[in-house]
Amino acid sequence: MISKEFFKALEQVAEDRGVSKDKILDIFGKGLLNAYKKDFNGQQNAKVVFNEEKAEILIVATYLVVDTIDPEAEKGTQITVEEAQELKKNARIGDIIEVKVTPKDFGRIAASSAKQILTQGLKQLERERNFEIFSEKVGEMVIAEVVAMNNEFVTLFLGYETETSIPAKDLLESDLVIGNHVRVYITKVEQTTKGPKVYVSRTDRNLVKRLMENAIPELQEGIVEIMGLARDPGDRCKVCVASNNPKVDPLGACLGRNGVRIKEVIDLLNGEKIDIYKWSDDPKELVSNAIQPAKSIAVIVDPKDKTAIAIVPDDQLSLAIGKKGQNARLAVQSSGWKIDIKSETDALVQDIHY
């Protein structure tokens, strides 16, 4: 069958659906073979040949020439020598006879079946493509559109015919408007029969990292690096940063003039506080920086166990520990050191020398 229209349409379908021509041809070929089986009593002896240069589609049925049909042989795979010689005069037993079958000759039901298989196959290809796209975005921040909501959950459109949901409490009140765009972090993607199931978060600590990278060019370029990050979602975050360029101050780069850069991130996190401190190869300095805004008098470290005792003025003990131990906990998580914070008086009572 010659069909220039088919191959022209193939190009357009491949472009519109975002899938390769080879995959579409594979699906269409399966549809044609299914149609062939319906019209030829379930015979399994055919293959589909696409010749794009000649705009030709062929179904080729293959038969083994035999003296007598073996009743246990696969249906439609054998042909008697008498039948074969009607197709090819010099056919002999043991020869392989190929017969071209024209798709135009298929019945209406068979042709409809081929079309259905193509449609279903294209949908499956799109689902697989979408799964691959979102799998590559795991660990990345994306922008999603608010398309529906109720009292508990918000439905987000991620693109590529894919939606997901997120707790309404995780979004800003100003975000809770149909059509608004919000930034979310993709944590996991699963394949389902209906397409990819994409899990997103606004509370994952890595969302802060991606938001900072988006707002701070030096982070994007690798001049400044985030060495540690800890977060109590919606309340406070502590970030440890370092500079790979001695001429660039990592704190200044992250804060921006008058704090404009970090304010952009804070606003996107609904006012969540962000403490930024400087990384140091010196454990004492690192621990001292980590417990800021409190000032340390001294730091005693045990590099082997990666533990430290930070001694602070009596009037800064509560500041160093923080409400419900938050500052100390975030300092430990972001620095990677186990830190025991003590007041100056406690250090004297416990005979801690520094």
Side-chain angles (χ1 to χ4, degrees), residues 11-230:
E11 297 275 358
Q12 190 63 47
V13 170
E15 184 176 342
D16 292 346
R17 303 274 183 147
V19 295
S20 71
K21 290 193 298 182
D22 289 341
K23 288 185 177 180
I24 296 175
L25 288 175
D26 181 58
I27 292 172
F28 187 62
K30 290 176 181 177
L32 290 178
L33 287 178
N34 187 72
Y36 171 83
K37 292 171 191 175
K38 285 183 179 292
D39 264 18
F40 290 83
N41 300 316
Q43 292 184 12
Q44 307 281 335
N45 62 328
K47 63 181 179 180
V48 180
V49 178
F50 295 100
N51 189 328
E52 195 168 347
E53 290 183 4
K54 295 181 179 180
E56 191 175 42
I57 304 171
L58 297 175
I59 291 183
V60 180
T62 305
Y63 300 91
L64 172 65
V65 181
V66 296
D67 182 29
T68 305
I69 301 293
D70 183 351
E72 295 185 3
E74 192 172 348
K75 190 175 181 179
T77 59
Q78 295 184 350
I79 188 173
T80 65
V81 66
E82 292 80 12
E83 291 172 323
Q85 287 174 349
E86 290 179 8
L87 300 171
K88 186 179 178 183
K89 290 183 179 180
N90 60 347
R92 295 180 180 180
I93 294 174
D95 287 350
I96 300 295
I97 297 290
E98 290 190 342
V99 180
K100 293 180 182 179
V101 182
T102 306
K104 281 183 179 179
D105 295 336
F106 291 173
R108 179 177 57 82
I109 295 176
S112 175
S113 174
K115 182 178 180 181
Q116 184 180 10
I117 289 176
L118 176 61
T119 301
Q120 292 173 346
L122 285 173
K123 288 181 179 178
Q124 180 60 28
L125 278 181
E126 288 176 342
R127 287 192 285 265
E128 292 173 359
R129 177 206 61 185
N130 294 345
F131 175 74
E132 290 174 2
I133 287 172
F134 286 108
S135 293
E136 291 175 357
K137 293 181 182 292
V138 172
E140 298 297 332
M141 181 181 70
V142 297
I143 297 176
E145 181 183 356
V146 177
V147 292
M149 66 182 76
N150 57 34
N151 291 334
E152 294 185 356
F153 290 95
V154 175
T155 301
L156 303 174
F157 177 63
L158 300 171
Y160 300 101
E161 303 173 333
T162 303
E163 292 183 350
T164 189
S165 61
I166 189 172
K169 63 181 178 61
D170 289 349
L171 297 178
L172 311 183
E173 188 174 342
S174 59
D175 287 333
L176 300 178
V177 178
I178 301 296
N180 271 17
H181 291 84
V182 297
R183 290 172 172 81
V184 292
Y185 181 81
I186 296 180
T187 58
K188 184 172 66 171
V189 179
E190 294 177 350
Q191 180 68 290
T192 73
T193 56
K194 295 182 179 179
K197 184 174 183 180
V198 183
Y199 295 84
V200 300
S201 173
R202 286 275 300 176
T203 59
D204 193 288
R205 67 189 185 95
N206 285 302
L207 176 64
V208 178
K209 184 177 181 180
R210 295 296 180 240
L211 288 171
M212 289 182 65
E213 289 172 348
N214 203 46
I216 302 164
E218 288 85 351
L219 280 174
Q220 293 179 12
E221 297 165 6
I223 298 172
V224 173
E225 187 176 352
I226 293 177
M227 305 299 290
L229 191 154

Side-chain angles (χ1 to χ4, degrees), residues 259-296:
V260 66
R261 288 180 173 177
I262 203 63
K263 184 179 183 304
E264 178 183 334
V265 179
I266 291 171
D267 288 345
L268 291 169
L269 293 172
N270 198 22
E272 182 176 317
K273 298 178 181 66
I274 300 178
D275 298 331
I276 301 177
Y277 68 92
K278 190 175 181 180
W279 165 267
S280 176
D281 291 326
D282 179 356
K284 293 182 179 180
E285 185 179 356
L286 175 62
V287 170
S288 180
N289 292 343
I291 65 171
Q292 293 173 1
K295 304 292 184 182
S296 64

Side-chain angles (χ1 to χ4, degrees), residues 303-321:
K304 184 179 179 180
D305 295 332
K306 214 171 183 181
T307 59
I309 298 174
I311 300 168
V312 299
D314 291 5
D315 61 355
Q316 292 203 31
L317 180 63
S318 60
L319 182 64
I321 294 174

